[in-house]
Amino acid sequence: MYVCLCKGITERQLKAAIAGGNADFMDLKRELGAGSQCGKCIPVALAILAEETAKNAVFYEVA
């Protein structure tokens, strides 16, 4: 699915960039250009970022 039509950025590209270490939206903006033109993709990109970050989070049990 295309997330950013202005830059032609797909959901798969966003997820790959996040998996590659882009941990916040500004990283995604620098890496892919997401949200750098009209900005309509920002809410969806942020949702994907939050979802992927939550999947990759490591929870530590406090003893």
Side-chain angles (χ1 to χ4, degrees):
M1 164 180 87
Y2 280 94
V3 174
C4 177
L5 295 176
C6 296
K7 296 286 187 172
I9 302 167
T10 65
E11 182 177 0
R12 184 176 290 170
Q13 288 173 298
L14 279 173
K15 288 181 178 182
I18 294 164
N22 295 288
D24 63 33
F25 185 75
M26 291 308 293
D27 291 339
L28 294 175
K29 188 172 184 175
R30 277 190 291 274
E31 177 84 16
L32 302 172
S36 63
Q37 285 192 347
C38 79
K40 289 182 181 178
C41 65
I42 294 173
V44 176
L46 287 172
I48 292 169
L49 178 61
E51 181 180 310
E52 292 300 304
T53 302
K55 281 184 194 176
N56 298 330
V58 177
F59 297 101
Y60 294 98
E61 191 173 316
V62 179

